[in-house]
Amino acid sequence: MKTKINHDVIHIPLEFRIACSIYKLDPQEVLQIFINHATVYDSLADGYSEGYSEASKTIGLYVVSLRRTARGSHAYSHCLESTALNFKATSDIASRKIGSTAAKRKSASAYIDELYATMERVYTASDTFYLDENTTLHFTKDFTVLCELHNCYPAEYLENFMSRISLAEMEAKTGLQVPNDNFTMAFFMKIVLGFGMVNDEVPELNEEEIAFVREAEELRVQMFTTRSLPKRIVVFKELYHKRYAQIIIQIR
């Protein structure tokens, strides 16, 4: 018997929780920044735009990975002609060689407004998503349209985003100088440095955090001769899990 998935609830992976805790980030704020930077325009544009490219590409590759039969968007089945025109207009703007990215994204917003207004909600019951009774996420028009265009629930996009965040994997690859093709992780690290944050000040480290930084540095030296990526990931995962357990105890 197939278990029915509750798309009104999202599962927050442990590795994502750990990454947010290590860098003193609120998971809700990280997810909101991701939502704010995922746009239809940037999913079509070739050029790079900080934050927007990473967020939009994260969704794009997830949609491709689903390998679903091309049945078309359920939300737009009643207005295929106008939807095609609005989507083409957005694509045309994205392919222009002149004009700033910000200006082109703003020009495309008129067509996103139209797509938002004409859709019949199938996968996005509301623009507000409750992480718990006191914590909410707000979906932008772009994010909502991306859900409906690709027949995906918001929770699918959010869980896919979080599943790509792993400090241990990033650490292991960095030590081996393995090219890091995880642009989603790179986006997360931009947030660590203040990208998209209301308060972009990097918090100062306390004594325990300084001790952890030193422990991590010592481990990097110890692992220098270990050339196995999986082994490195396991070792660094143990380090981050131990630190996370300490943080949880302090909170309680």
Side-chain angles (χ1 to χ4, degrees), residues 18-26 197 203-206 209:
I18 290 174
C20 289
S21 295
I22 294 292
Y23 287 110
K24 300 181 179 180
L25 297 174
D26 183 346
M197 302 283 286
E204 295 184 1
L205 301 180
N206 58 35
E209 290 162 345

Side-chain angles (χ1 to χ4, degrees), residues 106-121:
K106 185 175 181 180
S107 295
S109 65
Y111 300 103
I112 305 307
D113 288 345
E114 184 66 21
L115 286 168
Y116 179 86
T118 56
M119 69 182 187
E120 291 186 350
R121 290 179 182 270

Side-chain angles (χ1 to χ4, degrees), residues 7-197:
H7 294 289
D8 294 326
V9 177
I10 64 170
H11 168 67
I12 300 181
L14 178 58
E15 296 304 315
F16 180 75
R17 290 184 185 275
I18 290 174
C20 289
S21 295
I22 294 292
Y23 287 110
K24 300 181 179 180
L25 297 174
D26 183 346
Q28 180 271 342
E29 189 165 14
V30 174
L31 291 174
Q32 188 64 61
I33 293 171
F34 168 64
I35 290 167
N36 293 348
H37 289 84
T39 75
V40 177
Y41 167 83
D42 290 282
S43 69
L44 299 170
D46 290 329
Y48 174 74
S49 181
E50 186 178 19
Y52 291 96
S53 294
E54 292 91 342
S56 302
K57 189 176 180 180
T58 296
I59 287 179
L61 287 189
Y62 172 72
V63 171
V64 170
S65 74
L66 296 177
R67 300 179 183 276
R68 291 176 175 167
T69 304
R71 295 173 296 173
S73 170
H74 303 152
Y76 294 101
S77 59
H78 66 290
C79 55
L80 294 178
E81 185 175 350
S82 64
T83 298
L85 290 173
N86 285 314
F87 195 74
K88 183 180 183 304
T90 304
S91 180
D92 288 344
I93 293 173
S95 63
R96 287 178 188 169
K97 301 301 182 183
I98 59 173
S100 69
T101 298
K104 288 189 286 186
R105 188 182 297 113
K106 185 175 181 180
S107 295
S109 65
Y111 300 103
I112 305 307
D113 288 345
E114 184 66 21
L115 286 168
Y116 179 86
T118 56
M119 69 182 187
E120 291 186 350
R121 290 179 182 270
V122 178
Y123 296 90
T124 55
S126 170
D127 290 340
T128 302
F129 188 95
Y130 283 84
L131 294 176
D132 57 49
E133 59 182 13
N134 298 313
T135 311
T136 60
L137 296 171
H138 175 71
F139 299 147
T140 62
K141 290 182 178 179
D142 266 287
F143 188 82
T144 305
V145 168
L146 282 169
C147 289
E148 298 295 356
L149 274 175
H150 300 299
N151 299 327
C152 288
Y153 291 97
E156 293 181 78
Y157 290 161
L158 298 176
E159 289 180 350
N160 172 66
F161 166 74
M162 292 186 289
S163 73
R164 294 173 59 84
I165 306 302
S166 170
L167 294 181
E169 182 179 326
M170 179 187 71
E171 186 76 62
K173 287 183 176 180
T174 300
L176 291 176
Q177 296 184 329
V178 174
N180 193 351
D181 57 355
N182 189 343
F183 47 84
T184 311
M185 189 70 215
F187 177 63
F188 178 85
M189 294 308 296
K190 287 180 182 293
I191 298 174
V192 168
L193 296 175
F195 179 80
M197 302 283 286

Side-chain angles (χ1 to χ4, degrees), residues 178-242:
V178 174
N180 193 351
D181 57 355
N182 189 343
F183 47 84
T184 311
M185 189 70 215
F187 177 63
F188 178 85
M189 294 308 296
K190 287 180 182 293
I191 298 174
V192 168
L193 296 175
F195 179 80
M197 302 283 286
V198 175
N199 179 7
D200 61 359
E201 292 184 11
V202 179
E204 295 184 1
L205 301 180
N206 58 35
E207 290 184 6
E208 286 192 359
E209 290 162 345
I210 292 174
F212 170 72
V213 171
R214 288 173 178 165
E215 184 179 2
E217 189 58 42
E218 290 173 1
L219 184 58
R220 293 184 189 108
V221 174
Q222 294 171 18
M223 295 296 294
F224 181 76
T225 58
T226 302
R227 312 314 293 171
S228 167
L229 180 61
K231 287 183 179 179
R232 278 178 166 261
I233 291 175
V234 169
V235 172
F236 280 106
K237 187 172 288 187
E238 290 176 355
L239 173 71
Y240 284 116
H241 280 228
K242 184 178 75 171

